[in-house]
């Protein structure tokens, strides 16, 4: 590896380390080091006027989304305890007790994503993005109320060691049995990581959960407030309300302070489901975390070359093929369903 203050280099190849090192010396040792220092920023480029507002946008494509954006402290110094991944896991959970499963039951949404991004090595932007149904657009304040209710539940329940330990186990499994990536994307990601993390952690930083720190997680939770948040509703359904036009792309939009009824929903999210019997709570215990990664097949040469039918009925055919190429403890399930409905 060759590095200067703002330059990082990663080489990916199946050659031995001596060859790779020689290539680095031959091709990059003549690059001059100007000892430039990376830029530093001391002030978050947002003021209180940028927050606690409701933005409505008319898209070009027919899509309906609701976004929640919080500006939080920089998570990168805490990468070993990974609070961003912890809260991304909770908000983005899709199983029992999850926010998304209730929204789907209510007919308000069909997709949800969440996650942090670090900006300027100074702050973290945490986003929750929800793809709405047409009913969800009409009842977007109900969707807001459910998000606030889920956040309120997290604050009342507090940081969960059990949830953290499960995420930690999954992260370790993913790291131990990581698939190969496209070389160009992989080395590009490594060089970016070398700008931000110690060299010994650049391969494993996305999977690190070294220590459960409840006080740190509680502090992050407490920072999810109205004062550092904005909500963005994007839909063609709000065109009549969007009387402003953005300067460069002429996008129709409107921006107003959060209405009092939405503020009240944050402080007192009492909404109850109209259709669903589901509740909002922490994810239940994951009963499917593997402990044994032994590959049962021993004689790979004797395995079937093609998938073999192992079950058949009037409505179902099941085929199975034991992997004899990659020899990793992973499975791949594909289903094709046909219906007259």
């Amino acid at each position: 590896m060759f590095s200067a203050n703002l330059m990082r280099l990663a080489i990916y190849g199946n050659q031995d380390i001596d060859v790779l090192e020689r290539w680095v010396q031959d091709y990059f040792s003549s690059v001059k080091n100007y000892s430039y220092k990376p830029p530093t920023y001391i002030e978050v480029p947002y003021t209180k006027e940028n927050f606690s507002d409701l933005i409505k946008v008319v898209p070009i494509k027919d899509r309906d989304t609701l976004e929640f954006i919080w500006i939080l402290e920089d998570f990168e110094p805490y990468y070993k305890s990974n609070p961003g991944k912890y809260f991304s896991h909770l908000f983005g959970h899709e199983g029992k007790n999850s926010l998304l499963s209730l929204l789907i039951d209510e007919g308000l949404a069909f997709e949800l994503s969440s996650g942090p991004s670090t900006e300027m090595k100074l702050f973290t932007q945490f986003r929750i993005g929800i793809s709405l149904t047409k009913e969800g657009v009409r009842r977007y304040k109900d969707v807001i109320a459910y998000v606030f209710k889920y956040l309120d539940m997290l604050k009342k329940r507090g940081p969960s060691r059990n949830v953290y330990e499960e995420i930690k186990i999954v992260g370790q499994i993913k790291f131990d049995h990581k698939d190969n990536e496209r070389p160009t994307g992989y080395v590009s990601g490594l060089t970016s990581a070398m700008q931000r993390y110690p060299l010994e952690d650049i391969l494993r930083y996305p999977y690190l959960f070294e220590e459960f720190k409840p006080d740190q997680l509680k502090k992050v939770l407490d920072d999810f407030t109205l004062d550092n948040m904005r909500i963005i509703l994007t839909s063609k359904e709000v065109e009549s309300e969007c009387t402003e036009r953005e300067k460069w792309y002429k996008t129709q939009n409107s921006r107003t302070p959060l209405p009092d009824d939405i503020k009240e929903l944050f402080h007192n999210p009492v909404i109850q489901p109209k259709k669903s019997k589901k509740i909002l709570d922490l994810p239940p215990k994951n009963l499917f975390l593997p402990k044994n990664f032994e590959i049962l097949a021993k004689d790979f040469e004797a395995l079937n070359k093609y998938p073999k039918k192992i079950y058949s009925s009037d409505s179902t055919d099941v085929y199975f093929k034991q992997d004899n190429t990659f020899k990793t403890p992973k499975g791949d399930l594909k289903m094709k369903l046909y219906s007259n409905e």
Side-chain angles (χ1 to χ4, degrees):
M1 298 179 181
F2 174 82
S3 66
N5 282 329
L6 280 177
M7 183 189 299
R8 297 293 184 267
L9 174 69
I11 289 185
Y12 185 108
N14 58 6
Q15 294 78 11
D16 62 50
I17 190 67
D18 292 333
V19 173
L20 295 177
E21 185 175 1
R22 186 171 67 251
W23 286 354
V24 170
Q25 294 295 331
D26 290 346
Y27 293 107
F28 296 98
S29 61
S30 61
V31 177
K32 188 174 181 179
N33 182 357
Y34 290 95
S35 298
Y36 290 140
K37 293 183 178 180
T40 57
Y41 305 95
I42 60 174
E43 187 175 358
V44 176
Y46 296 103
T47 63
K48 62 181 181 179
E49 287 78 19
N50 299 118
F51 299 115
S52 199
D53 54 14
L54 174 63
I55 299 171
K56 297 181 180 180
V57 179
V58 180
I60 295 176
K61 294 183 177 180
D62 189 13
R63 65 188 186 97
D64 304 299
T65 62
L66 187 67
E67 292 180 275
F68 299 76
I69 299 175
W70 280 273
I71 302 300
L72 306 170
E73 66 173 313
D74 183 10
F75 287 170
E76 277 198 354
Y78 314 131
Y79 74 94
K80 289 189 177 183
S81 55
N82 221 331
K85 188 66 174 289
Y86 175 84
F87 289 111
S88 176
H89 171 81
L90 288 174
F91 283 111
H93 178 59
E94 298 181 359
K96 186 177 180 180
N97 302 340
S98 70
L99 174 61
L100 178 61
S101 66
L102 190 149
L103 292 175
I104 290 175
D105 258 22
E106 290 291 290
L108 301 175
F110 56 88
E111 190 176 44
L112 184 151
S113 62
S114 68
S117 61
T118 295
E119 311 292 342
M120 304 164 61
K121 294 187 177 181
L122 190 61
F123 63 93
T124 292
Q125 178 175 273
F126 193 94
R127 172 187 173 274
I128 300 173
I130 302 172
S131 296
L132 300 174
T133 62
K134 292 302 181 184
E135 177 70 10
V137 176
R138 289 187 287 272
R139 294 172 51 198
Y140 75 92
K141 288 187 179 181
D142 284 353
V143 180
I144 292 173
Y146 285 122
V147 172
F148 288 166
K149 187 170 184 175
Y150 191 81
L151 176 60
D152 183 65
M153 179 277 297
L154 292 180
K155 290 183 176 182
K156 289 178 178 177
R157 294 294 299 271
S160 168
R161 178 181 289 275
N162 290 336
V163 171
Y164 188 90
E165 291 299 323
E166 286 188 357
I167 303 173
K168 178 178 180 178
I169 292 171
V170 172
Q172 188 64 50
I173 292 172
K174 288 182 176 180
F175 180 72
D176 291 342
H177 304 284
K178 189 176 182 301
D179 291 326
N180 289 332
E181 298 182 30
R182 294 176 64 90
T184 52
Y186 186 55
V187 295
S188 176
L190 289 179
T191 54
S192 175
M194 291 165 69
Q195 300 273 6
R196 298 149 52 201
Y197 305 106
L199 189 61
E200 64 270 18
D201 290 332
I202 61 170
L203 296 179
R204 62 178 188 145
Y205 76 90
Y207 312 96
L208 277 176
F209 290 88
E210 284 196 350
E211 185 179 357
F212 176 63
K213 295 184 176 181
D215 291 343
Q216 181 189 90
L217 294 175
K218 183 181 183 305
K219 182 180 183 305
V220 172
L221 257 181
D222 290 341
D223 286 342
F224 281 87
T225 70
L226 289 179
D227 295 333
N228 60 346
M229 181 203 71
R230 57 180 15 180
I231 301 174
I232 304 173
L233 174 63
T234 302
S235 175
K236 288 184 178 293
E237 303 292 325
V238 299
E239 185 171 2
S240 62
E241 304 172 50
C242 297
T243 57
E244 302 292 328
R245 285 193 177 271
E246 186 269 335
K247 178 179 178 180
W248 303 106
Y249 295 100
K250 312 304 179 187
T251 303
Q252 286 181 254
N253 68 91
S254 68
R255 177 174 176 260
T256 60
L258 283 179
D260 290 339
D261 57 345
I262 290 182
K263 291 182 179 180
E264 178 60 25
L265 289 174
F266 183 86
H267 297 294
N268 189 26
V270 295
I271 187 170
Q272 296 298 326
K274 295 178 173 60
K275 304 175 185 177
S276 178
K277 297 186 182 301
K278 293 180 178 178
I279 63 171
L280 296 177
D281 204 344
L282 295 175
K285 182 178 180 180
N286 188 346
L287 302 177
F288 301 100
L289 288 176
K291 295 182 174 63
N292 184 357
F293 299 93
E294 180 184 359
I295 300 174
L296 298 181
K298 302 301 181 185
D299 186 359
F300 291 100
E301 298 299 325
L303 294 174
N304 291 328
K305 185 176 180 180
Y306 301 105
K308 179 182 179 180
K309 185 183 290 188
I310 60 173
Y311 176 82
S312 184
S313 70
D314 293 340
S315 60
T316 307
D317 287 325
V318 179
Y319 292 82
F320 175 73
K321 169 70 172 72
Q322 172 71 49
D323 165 49
N324 60 348
T325 301
F326 301 101
K327 303 180 180 69
T328 59
K330 295 184 179 182
D332 184 28
L333 176 66
K334 294 183 180 179
M335 301 179 66
K336 186 176 288 186
L337 305 177
Y338 299 93
S339 173
N340 292 326
E341 297 180 1

